[in-house]
Amino acid sequence: MYDRIWLGIDVGTQSVRVFVIDDDGHVAGSGWATLGGERRGRRHEQDAEKWWQAVIGACITALNGLDAGAVAGLAVDATSGTILIADQAGRPRTAGLMYDDDRATEEARLVDEAGGPIWASLGYFRMQPSWALPKLVWLLRHRQELKAGNLRLFHQSDFIAARLIGHPVATDTTNALKSGYDVIEERWPSEVFDRLGVPTRMLPEVVRPGTVLGVVSAAASSLTGIPAGTPVVAGMTDGCAAQLGAGAVETGSWNSVLGTTLVLKGVSEQLIRDPSGVVYCHRGPNDTWLPGAASNSGAGVIARRFGDKDLDVLTAHAARIPVGAVAYPLVAEAERFPFVARNVEAFVIGDAQDDAAMFAALLLGVACVERLCMDYLDLLETPTDGPLTMTGGGTRNRFWSQLRVDLLGRPASIPAQAEPAMGMAVLASTLAGRSVVEAARAMVRSELELTPDPTRAPALLERYRDFVAALAARGWLDDGIASHARNRANQ
């Protein structure tokens, strides 16, 4: 039996996951439920009521066989930029516009015109059509009736927290960022919303992650099995939640997530301003900042190129090949980190005539992109000297993880449970009076510790310098960034 357990609820795109974790990081229970939505061209919508039904199902499964009375608190994360408009009773008036719904192209332009100086001061310079504020403007422009009455903006996690508590709740700073919240002055810039015709009464209160929002209502308790009166704390976006779940919570620590694309998220004591807008910061728990950025390079190119091949066999061959070719592992036709460029295309340096050689070249290419990301962060004077964790599907390939560590020249750990729901359990556990750092140290467990092999560094760094030079020669990589990367590689 567990004396005290914490719930983390992760509302994703395809499923809801719930973890039940004790004070020492043991997984006491887990549950999941599937989600589905409609994707039509640039539009991607889901039924918010189905989010709630999935949460109910996942909670029931996660708590099955446990003493529910031991639940001491919970937090909810959800996809960043997913919104809907609902009434004060929490009844949806629109579908949920998902994080990757990018219909609001014209509205993004209007948002940038209305609030450009503020977005620049926050370090991201412009909003993307998939961000929450352009989508909110799109809804109000196309459905004028939504401006009337007592309706309000809900982010996906706000909606679930409100259902658990029984009334509308504050949102958190990480979700509010893409809705136009000024995370420096900690206010909604009303002058911008006035220009856009967005009634400020529609906007929720904003609090820091970990702030108590309320307690689980009797009605929600009867549906989910979570005891009535359980505190609900403000959560985070799914990316920030995964960072907590990986244990990247100390200043200078970073979580490198290798999935379809490569995402890096870290911790800083100061807001990091990137002149190119590549890196931007969330406001984290307490007084921390969470800089991060996502590449359009990553493991997706492996699935595309070798989806019908035995990757274990290819890995075994790649491990026997001396450092040779390197390939730019581009998933899309543009890059967004560690540089911004359109109309870029994949390339290969060296001989990669057979599958094994090309596979090895792509593995090294991802490692080179990751190293260049870290060099770019160093150029921005972002603290990068803390612990490094690696998560995502790419970590299942141990050879690849070791290759990445060897090129970076720094140790890294792979957590046993690197899930957003885990991060929310960590955040909820701060109700016990410990800091996020203390909670993560106690609860996040390492599955594997990797240390760099210095004998491999010379050959890997030589190929890395070739890779950087090729990007610069094509005009994609700024000369200043390229020079800084080369200098660090020569140290």
Side-chain angles (χ1 to χ4, degrees), residues 46-337:
Q46 287 187 355
D47 181 348
E49 292 292 354
K50 292 182 179 179
W51 301 338
W52 175 234
Q53 293 302 316
V55 168
I56 291 171
C59 286
I60 291 172
T61 302
L63 291 169
N64 184 40
L66 298 176
D67 175 12
V71 177
L74 67 88
V76 182
D77 78 78
T79 53
S80 175
T82 297
I83 63 165
L84 72 152
I85 295 176
D87 63 22
Q88 294 297 318
R91 293 185 292 260
R93 294 296 183 87
T94 71
L97 274 60
M98 298 302 293
Y99 74 99
D100 56 350
D101 184 307
D102 62 353
R103 72 185 72 176
T105 304
E106 171 62 15
E107 288 72 22
R109 184 187 65 79
L110 296 175
V111 164
D112 286 341
E113 289 178 356
I118 292 180
W119 317 149
S121 73
L122 297 175
Y124 57 79
F125 293 90
R126 66 183 181 86
M127 287 203 179
Q128 301 169 22
S130 60
W131 282 28
L133 181 53
K135 286 188 289 197
L136 174 60
V137 175
W138 187 94
L139 284 170
L140 297 179
R141 292 182 76 199
H142 287 78
R143 292 182 57 184
Q144 290 289 323
E145 76 276 10
L146 294 174
K147 293 184 179 181
N150 203 17
L151 304 182
R152 60 178 280 158
L153 168 70
F154 283 78
H155 302 92
Q156 190 175 30
S157 56
D158 310 343
F159 180 77
I160 298 303
R163 284 295 174 94
L164 289 167
I165 294 169
H167 58 73
V169 299
T171 192
D172 70 274
T173 51
T174 66
N175 274 291
L177 177 75
K178 291 185 178 180
S179 295
Y181 186 70
D182 187 330
V183 292
I184 297 176
E185 297 189 9
E186 298 195 79
R187 70 180 184 95
W188 292 109
S190 58
E191 65 279 12
V192 174
F193 289 92
D194 288 344
R195 296 184 198 117
L196 293 169
V198 177
T200 53
R201 56 178 164 73
M202 298 186 69
L203 305 175
E205 179 187 354
V206 182
V207 297
R208 299 278 184 93
T211 303
V212 176
L213 300 175
V215 299
V216 174
S217 69
S221 175
S222 67
L223 294 171
T224 63
I226 305 170
T230 300
V232 180
V233 304
M236 310 177 81
T237 62
D238 54 351
C240 293
Q243 179 180 347
L244 262 65
V249 295
E250 303 177 46
T251 298
S253 62
W254 285 83
N255 177 212
S256 182
V257 188
L258 179 53
T260 301
T261 58
L262 180 70
V263 181
L264 270 73
K265 296 186 73 69
V267 184
S268 173
E269 293 181 359
Q270 289 84 35
L271 173 70
I272 303 302
R273 288 187 173 87
D274 178 2
S276 70
V278 171
V279 178
Y280 66 90
C281 292
H282 283 291
R283 195 72 182 257
N286 303 322
D287 291 320
T288 59
W289 293 92
L290 307 178
S295 175
N296 278 338
S297 302
V301 71
I302 300 293
R304 182 185 301 169
R305 177 68 169 78
F306 299 104
D308 60 342
K309 305 291 185 179
D310 188 325
L311 299 187
D312 290 336
V313 171
L314 286 173
T315 298
H317 285 303
R320 293 192 293 267
I321 296 174
V323 177
V326 58
Y328 181 32
L330 194 62
V331 177
E333 296 180 352
E335 185 58 280
R336 50 182 175 159
F337 182 50

Side-chain angles (χ1 to χ4, degrees), residues 425-444:
V426 169
L427 184 62
S429 78
T430 60
L431 287 168
R434 55 187 181 182
S435 69
V436 171
V437 172
E438 292 168 336
R441 286 175 178 170
M443 299 173 71
V444 178

